[in-house]
Amino acid sequence: MEKNNLKGNVEAVDICDLRTTTEGTELGLRKHAESYLNVINGQELTLSSAGNKEVNLKEPPKWGLPFGACQKQLVLPRVEPMAVQRCSRSAPRVSQGSQQVEMDVKIMLEPENIDSKAGLKHPNIETRLPLITKKKSAPMYSQKTGKGHKVTSPWALPAFHSLNSALPLVEDDTPKAGIVQECHLLVGPLSLTGQRLILPAAKRTLPVPPVVSRAAPFPEFPRQRKKSAAGEISSRLDPENTDTITFPKPKEAIYGTYSSGKGNIAPLPSSNSMVSTRKSKPEWTYPTQQLEAEVHIPSQTQPPQTAQPFQDPYLDWNIAVYHGTVDQKAPGFLALQQHYHSSWGSIVGFLEHTEKLLKDHAVPLATINGQKLAQIASDFDFNENPTKSDILSVIKNQSAVEKILNRPGQRCRGQGGTAAAAADIPRRWRCPGAALGSGQQQWAAGVLGASWRSWKHRAHVRNALREARHRHLENFYSRSKHLAANWNRIRTSRRTIIHIPSLGYSQHIREHIPDLALQQNLQMGRLCDILDANVDVIYICPLALSEELLQYYNKLLGLQAAVRSGNPEDMADLQDRFKILTPEAINSFPEHHMCLATVLKYSPRTIQRLQVLIQSRDAYVVGGVPHQDDLAVADVLQVPLLGSEPAVAQLYSTKSGSKRIFASAGVQTPPGEWGIHSREQLLCALSQLILDNMEVQRWLFKVDDERGGNGTAYCDVISHLECYHWIQKEWQGHGPEVWSKSQARELALVKISQELPGLLAQHVQPVNEKRFPTWEKFLQTFLSQGGVIEAFPFSASITNLTVDLLIEPTGEVTMVSSGDQLHAEGPLRSSGTTIPQRSVDPAVLNSLCSKIGEVCKSKGVLGYFSVDFVAFTHPQTREQQVWATDLDLCYSDQLALTQLLLYVTDGNLDCGSSRLQGPLGSKESRSQRIQREGTKPPAPSSLRCAVASSQLRHSSLSEISYNLLLHTCKARGVGFDLQEKQGTVFVLYEDQKRHRLGMITIGEDLQGVLLTFARNLFIIHQEISAPNMQGETNFKMAIRDIEAILGVAAENKLKLEEEQPWETDALKE
């Protein structure tokens, strides 16, 4: 006889071996029945060891589950059937024995079953328990691994084989086969059905084994047998073919109970009733909302006759749906798939609609009742869709899910919610609305639709702006590199400079700048770059200039040839060398406070004209305060920008940012603290500064982003501090060295901190009182934007000066202008300048500017910028000190006036020596002719100086035209002498309000120029003002400031004559 083994080999089988196997199988059945009786009766058996000593099974074997693992879930995988060929003769013998044993087991497991009781009462049927007459030792089994098949998709129907085939013999069928193998062979599928391990409603087929089984180690027995794979313990979990069973005592139920005294041996658990402990954790996790359905066997404390029958494990399984996705590995899902495989298609369709509904409404968790699902799904056809109520009826947490589904706007939060909202809002908006309240619905839908469209449009614009700005920045860097590589050629060749005097401050700053367009037009002197014969200038004007103003600048710029020759008849028309363009959008955004670069960006006709003017020529843009739209305009024109990146300029142009630059440069700055953003920080820092600098009388508070003194306030703290005299006395008593470590200093700090809040509220004086009428108003802006605390120089003689520098694309740093400030409207607001500066030693100033320029270059600063200094004489050391106070990374008004000064004098400004030199006038030429006759070499030029201001203001100027003003000034001797290259030049800004003008007075010495400037202001004031209507002006304050300067100059001259008369004589010579 032949048989096929698992390896596919055909081997010969002796009929005697089959008979021996059958006898062994009958013996195994008896032992199997006895073990089940012991389990039901709660008996505790022992297993005899090799030395005939009883071992208590409370200590679990090595291959079992841990002791005390009660109520564990056992997963019983099925074994692939395999037919035994050419063994039909032994089959009846096997079936006869199995029928009786199966009936006995069924009666024991279900004592309350009516059919079972009836079988017991039948007179011709008797239940015979196996009789064991001889004590036998348990056999020894070795481990073997059986390979299963891969797990298929949970949505697929399981594969089955015929139930009529016997369970396979997975190891060689020899007389030495194990007990577990014999039990499986004889019990068969009928026994599994009787134990409810196979459902009665299921097809009578067995699936392909889906797992790889591993054998568990068994205790050693005296009698050795061959290896057996039929009784191996499964080591993996089968997510498709599993049953969950809970036993009261896992040791007895899983391992079996043994008794060496009685010689009874319980059958070893099969691969369908045990899970190996080598698997530390399962392949899936149970859902939190899943109900646990378990088959309970009564505990041993209960009598056998009251044991509960087995419950169907499939009827109460639930399916968890997380965020619209069914957990396909959950036991409930797998059990439902096994039980309702015949109607699985309808269930799958129903589940798909359920998933879609839960995903569309973003339901986080739902629990589906599997039994209701199967019942309702069976009533639907494949082409029929379940309704919302049908789906809700199968959900256990129906109230919670329904509450989420009915939540307003919940559909928009789920899958495809954005598109659904976009499609639903217009549909509701356009619907006729015949129902009650449809008008309100239409109105609400219209509001939502408009809001949605507006939001989408804004989002699109934001994304487009973000991408465009990134592109502009990349192009800015690439063109800057090109400009640096070709700068030496461009600066000496024919080129066009596009001047855009834009004030690209933040929006909240521009909103507080009065007459923003006029402030951006104060740099008309940029036109004078045409002094270089290779330069053409295009000036973007923020105001629409009248024909009168255009003619004025045509004549002013045409003086270049006349200035050089000294003959007025040599005036030329240079309109082809400069262009003044006004963007057409200057009046399109009257309330938006846009900077000039932004207005130009939205002026396509002006952009097109610029493109025509610079076509096929080297050109670059010189802006004002850098702004993002400067980069945009330069990118549209495809020209480089001679300026800093806007982010860099905004960072280091603040008061705190300038302190960082000065600290890096190592230049001296006023005592102070920067980066203040809270009231506590302000009070703490100011208290410390007062205590460390007792000689400082006045402290300044400067807002980070403000310009022109508008965000500045000051307070004379020492004169109002009550504890000052006590602190001064203590300081003198302790001495400087002991004072810094004494307790009196800490007490003084506490006293100052207590007095400061009230002192500041009463005595702080903002410079711009119209904008900041109180200290609290100023403090709110100060803390919101950040600011610095700075000491005011403790000296009676103070001079502020401004130096303009240029960082060329090649990295070279040069000084292009310098001047001492005039303060017509107070000591903290500049209203003009004297060019060149004469308050600081040029060598000292050059050193400071060089350090600052190098640091700025390392930070990425490019183009024009200005630095403010303050110079004073220390009252104790009598030495001059120079502090760096401010930094503006932009083209300054002083530089524009300097350009005009050099244009009308044909001069040269040497900032290294602070000397302004110009060609000789007619009188100077005659004196030089006399000197030439005396064999002295002629001087090529003479020294000049100038007073310039762009901040002159008088309300009565609007009552007179510019032509009449110029004729009146000419009649009073206010004008410019072309031959002498001295006199006064006016800068006109606009002709609508006409209340502002600029003026430059040029002469040979500073005192004479200051006197001329003051005289001009007095004459203009007399000519345009009536005796009873003086108007609003700063002319008088400017005159008083000049008089103070002249008085100080006279005093200094007298002191110099007394102390060093030889220097005075040298100056006179």
Side-chain angles (χ1 to χ4, degrees), residues 302-349:
Q302 297 176 351
Q305 61 271 17
T306 61
Q308 296 295 329
F310 282 91
Q311 298 179 359
D312 195 338
Y314 298 101
L315 299 180
D316 294 331
W317 281 117
N318 302 306
I319 301 174
V321 184
Y322 294 100
H323 300 285
T325 303
V326 174
D327 186 4
Q328 299 180 5
K329 293 185 179 181
F333 179 86
L334 299 173
L336 186 69
Q337 180 182 10
Q338 292 291 337
H339 188 68
Y340 293 99
H341 60 86
S342 60
S343 59
W344 187 244
S346 300
I347 296 176
V348 168

Side-chain angles (χ1 to χ4, degrees), residues 957-969:
L957 286 171
S958 59
E959 305 296 332
I960 186 173
S961 65
Y962 283 138
N963 282 332
L964 181 57
L965 175 64
L966 295 177
H967 282 88
T968 303
C969 290

Side-chain angles (χ1 to χ4, degrees), residues 601-636:
K601 175 184 174 182
Y602 296 120
S603 301
R605 290 198 298 269
T606 306
I607 293 291
Q608 291 177 1
R609 189 175 178 188
L610 282 171
Q611 291 173 343
V612 172
L613 291 173
I614 65 175
Q615 188 174 6
S616 303
R617 303 188 64 179
D618 289 332
Y620 58 89
V621 174
V622 177
V625 178
H627 189 269
Q628 290 287 347
D629 290 331
D630 287 290
L631 306 184
V633 171
D635 190 63
V636 172

Side-chain angles (χ1 to χ4, degrees), residues 881-900:
Q881 291 190 358
V882 181
W883 292 345
T885 58
D886 203 359
L887 177 68
D888 291 322
L889 301 181
C890 61
Y891 198 104
S892 69
D893 295 347
Q894 176 182 276
L895 181 56
L897 293 173
T898 302
Q899 295 294 93
L900 180 58

Side-chain angles (χ1 to χ4, degrees), residues 345-402:
S346 300
I347 296 176
V348 168
F350 196 94
L351 284 176
E352 289 177 351
H353 289 88
T354 304
E355 282 185 333
K356 185 178 185 304
L357 177 65
L358 298 179
K359 282 183 180 179
D360 291 346
H361 292 81
V363 178
L365 177 64
T367 305
I368 298 178
N369 190 318
Q371 187 176 5
K372 288 185 179 180
L373 172 64
Q375 294 175 357
I376 294 180
S378 62
D379 298 336
F380 286 89
D381 297 333
F382 286 102
N383 57 353
E384 185 179 0
N385 297 330
T387 62
K388 180 179 177 181
S389 59
D390 295 332
I391 294 175
L392 288 174
S393 63
V394 302
I395 297 177
K396 294 193 69 175
N397 55 337
Q398 178 179 354
S399 59
V401 173
E402 189 173 7

